[in-house]
Amino acid sequence: MTSKRLTTYALNRKFIKHWLIDNDATQVELADAIGVSPVVLNRYINGQRNVPVSVLFSLAEEMRADVRDLVYKVEE
């Protein structure tokens, strides 16, 4: 039996940056709204840290976006 590799996803940085511009918001404001520090949010956005599911759903709720819009499949 061949083991299947899990699909890897990352935050859609462009989507988030466009949302910030469209909503005249900063990463600091978004971080405060979802309950993480601005440094941690920046690390999530830049792929330096994995995003917990709870944070992903908080982002989706705060941004009024579908979770699928916030991530993209990483090609390996």
Side-chain angles (χ1 to χ4, degrees):
M1 180 175 194
T2 308
S3 64
K4 185 178 177 185
R5 295 193 85 184
L6 292 176
T7 304
T8 305
Y9 293 90
L11 275 183
N12 187 336
R13 173 193 202 149
K14 287 182 181 180
F15 182 87
I16 294 170
K17 291 193 182 283
H18 283 288
W19 184 89
L20 291 170
I21 292 167
D22 292 344
N23 289 277
D24 195 28
T26 65
Q27 280 189 26
V28 173
E29 293 168 333
L30 183 57
D32 288 343
I34 64 168
V36 299
S37 76
V39 171
V40 169
L41 178 60
N42 188 270
R43 289 180 181 158
Y44 292 151
I45 291 171
N46 289 312
Q48 297 168 339
R49 287 185 69 179
N50 291 329
V51 182
V53 173
S54 60
V55 172
L56 183 60
F57 279 94
S58 293
L59 277 169
E61 186 176 328
E62 183 63 33
M63 296 171 71
R64 293 177 183 83
D66 190 306
V67 172
R68 292 170 291 196
D69 292 331
L70 293 175
V71 296
Y72 68 93
K73 185 176 178 180
V74 176
E75 299 297 329
E76 294 182 24

